[in-house]
Amino acid sequence: MTTDGPDRDEEAAAPLQRRPQLALLVEGDDRKGLLHDMTAAILDHGGDILSVEIVESGARSAIYWELDAVKDPESLERAFQAIDVVRSVRRLPSMFQVYGKRIIVVGAGAQVGQVALGAIGEADRHNIRGEKISVDTIPMVGEESLANAVRAVSRLPRAVALVLAGSLMGGEVTEAVEEVRARGILVVCLNMAGSVPEHADLVVTDPVQAGVMTVMAVASTARFDIERVRGRRV
Amino acid sequence: MTTDGPDRDEEAAAPLQRRPQLALLVEGDDRKGLLHDMTAAILDHGGDILSVEIVESGARSAIYWELDAVKDPESLERAFQAIDVVRSVRRLPSMFQVYGKRIIVVGAGAQVGQVALGAIGEADRHNIRGEKISVDTIPMVGEESLANAVRAVSRLPRAVALVLAGSLMGGEVTEAVEEVRARGILVVCLNMAGSVPEHADLVVTDPVQAGVMTVMAVASTARFDIERVRGRRV
């Protein structure tokens, strides 16, 4: 992952980090098969589904779609509107436009808050210049919970980096780190006991700095190239 | 929203905050219509779709499903496996099991980090006792950006509360606050200029305490009932 210019952003972005062509919120009543009917309409219009969010289900339905390659967006909106239970179809800003890239901070104790504080402060500085970076933190302990949280990062929309903020992590957590790195997630960790530091992209001793450097690494507005420090301990 | 015992949690939970019956990751190659074929299989098995995440698309595909009411889960797994491009179907822990409820912190400057710090520290204390609470922070400024971020909270899976951490918010942000409160999101804000404090569930002057109290309000492990302080300024 290189981030030394705004133009690198689109180029390096995985499908879910691209801006979708079309973001639609479709609301109405709910019934079995509603989503199936909507995927039929999308297929008819040649669309690629980037993301679906079931905002509401049961009595009422609200389904949020992010789509690409739709041949005639107005025609798709009419096709959605023609479904019996659909009441309204609205275009919205995409989740990437609203919340941007996500940095996931996982760990516990005094350190996890300090990593988040560093990342939030640095994200604030970049976001004020037009960047969009969120800092999502889950405080937790335990090898299995941590390994599950690390693995699930690759299933989180818009996640680009993970910071492991703890004092001792290894075993199954290390295996999970290798898995998410293979999915293109940048992994930063504190300088800690256990085998995780040997498998991270970057090891940072100070927790505030770990948060700051992770934001710098993923920001299009920063001139910091992770390739130049990969595998380092600072 | 009342949270004075673990049993209240399931009762008060919106559909997306419940544990799904089945969480599956389906991987293989990609092609147009793949999602449509999968929704057909789910419909055949009487399933309700709670969430879909397109983890990977393009050359390869990875689609993560959270489902309820599936009559014969093994049969559905076989039906997915029978789709031409599907290579593997795996059961996973659900996103609710891994990351739990989400508190969204929106704001900027010195305050946003302090709110997050308070929330993360308090979430750490609850999570160590078996709770799962994440604290997701987006530092940003500007009425339109803020209003978009507030409105989009209702489209974020597992989001239960929003904290507005700033010094001046009103206008379109206040309208957006009313909209997300109508969707069942708890809204806490700092004691600030602008009309937002008149429309929040709770106004807290100290940013660290604002984070702490929001976690207390949503934690099943806490004995704090937001109904007893709704509309207060502390």
Side-chain angles (χ1 to χ4, degrees), chain B residues 109-131:
Chain B
Q111 292 162 310
V112 67
Q114 294 304 309
V115 169
L117 196 63
I120 293 164
E122 186 68 9
D124 191 30
R125 297 177 65 240
H126 289 278
N127 291 358
I128 216 162
R129 290 185 285 164
E131 181 74 66

Side-chain angles (χ1 to χ4, degrees), chain A residues 15-16 18 25 27 32-41 43 46-58 62 64-66 68-69 90 92-95 98-100 102 104 106-110 112-114 116-117 119-121 123-124 127-128 131-141 145 148-158 179 183, chain B residues 15-16 18 25 27 32-41 43 46-58 62 64-66 68-69 90 92-95 98-100 102 104 106-110 112-114 116-117 119-121 123-124 127-128 131-141 145 148-158 179 183:
Chain A
L16 290 171
R18 273 191 278 119
L25 183 67
E27 293 179 280
K32 294 260 180 199
L34 172 59
L35 207 81
H36 185 60
D37 292 349
M38 293 175 124
T39 56
L43 190 58
D48 291 328
I49 298 164
L50 299 181
S51 158
V52 196
E53 193 50 54
I54 320 291
V55 178
E56 207 177 331
S57 66
Y64 170 72
W65 296 93
E66 293 192 353
D68 249 347
R90 269 190 299 157
L92 294 178
S94 75
M95 292 308 243
V98 175
Y99 296 117
R102 296 166 77 182
I104 314 299
V106 177
V112 68
Q114 294 304 311
L117 196 63
I120 292 164
D124 190 30
N127 291 357
I128 217 162
E131 181 72 66
K132 285 271 171 69
I133 296 173
S134 301
V135 179
D136 296 355
T137 307
I138 172 87
M140 59 164 57
V141 293
S145 290
N148 282 340
V150 171
R151 283 199 175 96
V153 168
S154 65
R155 308 205 299 278
L156 289 175
R158 299 172 284 107
E179 285 177 38
R183 293 249 190 210
Chain B
L16 289 172
R18 274 191 280 121
L25 184 67
E27 293 179 280
K32 294 261 180 197
L34 172 60
L35 206 82
H36 185 60
D37 292 349
M38 295 176 123
T39 56
L43 190 58
D48 291 329
I49 298 163
L50 299 182
S51 159
V52 196
E53 192 50 53
I54 319 292
V55 178
E56 206 176 331
S57 65
Y64 170 73
W65 296 92
E66 294 192 353
D68 249 345
R90 271 189 298 157
L92 293 178
S94 76
M95 292 309 242
V98 175
Y99 297 116
R102 296 166 77 181
I104 314 300
V106 177
V112 67
Q114 294 304 309
L117 196 63
I120 293 164
D124 191 30
N127 291 358
I128 216 162
E131 181 74 66
K132 284 270 170 70
I133 296 172
S134 302
V135 179
D136 297 354
T137 307
I138 173 88
M140 59 164 57
V141 294
S145 290
N148 282 339
V150 170
R151 284 199 174 96
V153 168
S154 64
R155 307 205 299 278
L156 288 175
R158 299 171 285 106
E179 286 176 38
R183 293 249 191 209

